[in-house]
Every structure is written in C-alpha cells, then in structure tokens.
Amino acid sequence: MRKVIVLLSGGMDSATLLWLAKREFEKVWAISFHYGQRHSVELKYAKELAKLAGVEDHIVVEIPTYRSIKGSALIDDRVEVPKGEYPENEPPITTVPMRNLNFLAVAGAFADSLGIDHIGIGVHALDTPYPDCRPEFITSAEAAINAGSVLVAKEKRRIHIWAPFLGMTKREIALLGKELGVPFEKTYSCYMGTEPPCGECPTCVQRKEALEGIL
Ligand SMILES: [Zn+2]
C-alpha cells in the first residue's frame, strides 16, 4: 500500500501537495511544526486543511530550540521581515537554518515507526534561493534517511522523498491546485503572521502573483 506523510505548513504549496497526495496515495498523514515562527498562526490553517483533507492523522511537532537561533527574520524578533520580492541568488534573511533537514528527519522518524514509505515536501523551482530547498539537498536528505532507517534496515524497503513540485513554478502549482479543488482561501503564507496577511512580504507578493485570477 502506498503511504505518504506530507509536510504541511498551511500555505498554498503544501496544501496543493496534500490534495495531490490524496489523489496519488492510499493513506495520507500530515505533519506540521511549531518552531517559534513569527507566523505560527499558519498552524491554525494547517489544522483546518488537514481536517478538510481527511488525513489519517495530523501530527504537530514542537521544536522550541529554534527560538534560540539568531539572525533569521522568521524566528528572531530583532530581525525585520523584508518587503518585496526575494533576492535572486542568495539565501534570504527569512531562511531558517537547517529547517528542512530537521523537518525531514522528524518526518522520517514517523515514517520509520508507522511504516510509511514516502515523505512529501512542497519545495518548488522558485524556492532555490533557500539552500535546503534545492534538488541536491533533497537527494542528500533522502540518502541520509535511508541510511539511518530501521524500516529500511529490517524490511529492505526504501523511504522516498516525494517532491513533485521541484521543477514547477508557483503559478503551475496554483493551477494544479485549482484542478484538484484546493481551498486556497483556507491557506496562509504571510511571514508577518498578521490576519489579514500583510500583502507586502516576499511570500505575500509571490502568492498574489501565483493566485491571480484563481483566488
Ligand atoms: Zn505578508
């Protein structure tokens, strides 16, 4: 049986991934993280989305350690969230160091213990300024998870990182989401964590462009 655990932030990409997972897999779990992010309000949206998608279970994991890591606008209150578009070729100030490595490791632990053979992550072609969203990182993380997995060692099965949006733009994800019936009005992405969203931070700008004419 094909099973997947999907990393769900509550934003439009991971919501689309969750809806795609419902179409592609027989059993679907969702996992979200409270890591002291400025926009922890996103977890409220993640919970609602997981409920609407009818997942087997929605696991919410606390990683409080991140609050003591300095320098990222998403976890350090002294650093301001920038306005406008992402920088082209360098890690933005909103990078949370090793975030996806931590998320994938924890999801890998649940996959191992629950016998789930896929971990879904919604990284896409426009995420490449973030080092831990690049294809080479995903490949390396998959290798590490398989090397350290009890499931793999015992049952000679592999755990796959399922990242179907790697070659897709955010607009293409939005169009796929529309086709899948993703309730985009119930997704949330703003780095400021305000309700309604600020409309000016990099992720608000990207989201607005991607969903134009759809939402
Ligand atoms: Zn915003």
Side-chain angles (χ1 to χ4, degrees), residues 41-120:
V41 66
E42 67 180 3
L43 292 171
K44 184 175 82 180
Y45 292 82
K47 280 178 192 164
E48 177 71 13
L49 289 164
K51 209 166 131 187
L52 283 172
V55 296
E56 301 294 321
D57 191 14
H58 179 214
I59 301 155
V60 181
V61 177
E62 299 277 340
I63 311 184
T65 326
Y66 264 121
R67 283 307 275 184
S68 42
I69 294 170
K70 303 300 174 199
S72 163
L74 295 196
I75 48 175
D76 185 342
D77 291 334
R78 297 168 312 173
V79 183
E80 269 186 43
V81 174
K83 289 181 179 159
E85 291 182 9
Y86 286 106
E88 288 261 315
N89 283 316
E90 60 181 55
I93 193 75
T94 46
T95 305
V96 178
M98 304 292 159
R99 181 173 57 181
N100 281 342
L101 187 57
N102 276 282
F103 288 4
L104 288 172
V106 174
F110 279 98
D112 226 16
S113 68
L114 296 168
I116 299 169
D117 53 2
H118 287 77
I119 302 167

Side-chain angles (χ1 to χ4, degrees), residues 9-215:
S9 69
M12 55 168 284
D13 306 325
S14 61
T16 303
L17 189 67
L18 188 62
W19 259 251
L20 184 64
K22 292 291 290 179
R23 193 178 78 180
E24 306 278 321
F25 291 84
E26 289 160 79
K27 285 196 166 188
V28 179
W29 283 257
I31 185 165
S32 303
F33 295 88
H34 186 213
Y35 56 98
Q37 66 269 52
R38 188 189 290 267
H39 54 307
S40 60
V41 66
E42 67 180 3
L43 292 171
K44 184 175 82 180
Y45 292 82
K47 280 178 192 164
E48 177 71 13
L49 289 164
K51 209 166 131 187
L52 283 172
V55 296
E56 301 294 321
D57 191 14
H58 179 214
I59 301 155
V60 181
V61 177
E62 299 277 340
I63 311 184
T65 326
Y66 264 121
R67 283 307 275 184
S68 42
I69 294 170
K70 303 300 174 199
S72 163
L74 295 196
I75 48 175
D76 185 342
D77 291 334
R78 297 168 312 173
V79 183
E80 269 186 43
V81 174
K83 289 181 179 159
E85 291 182 9
Y86 286 106
E88 288 261 315
N89 283 316
E90 60 181 55
I93 193 75
T94 46
T95 305
V96 178
M98 304 292 159
R99 181 173 57 181
N100 281 342
L101 187 57
N102 276 282
F103 288 4
L104 288 172
V106 174
F110 279 98
D112 226 16
S113 68
L114 296 168
I116 299 169
D117 53 2
H118 287 77
I119 302 167
I121 183 166
V123 290
H124 55 75
L126 304 185
D127 273 337
T128 48
Y130 289 106
D132 62 350
C133 292
R134 293 174 184 163
E136 56 265 43
F137 165 74
I138 299 297
T139 308
S140 305
E142 186 181 80
I145 286 169
N146 280 280
S149 161
V150 174
L151 186 73
V152 171
K154 271 188 170 173
E155 298 183 19
K156 305 281 180 266
R157 286 160 63 184
R158 281 194 70 76
I159 296 175
H160 305 272
I161 295 187
W162 181 58
F165 300 161
L166 266 182
M168 288 170 71
T169 65
K170 216 169 163 79
R171 178 66 179 175
E172 288 168 333
I173 295 169
L175 293 170
L176 172 65
K178 187 185 173 193
E179 185 193 314
L180 293 166
V182 175
F184 284 124
E185 70 285 359
K186 292 190 164 68
T187 63
Y188 183 91
S189 308
C190 177
Y191 286 154
M192 292 298 289
T194 55
E195 285 181 299
C198 80
E200 292 180 315
C201 72
T203 191
C204 274
V205 171
Q206 246 194 12
R207 173 187 166 98
K208 200 175 153 210
E209 283 172 9
L211 288 176
E212 201 175 349
I214 294 176
L215 183 64

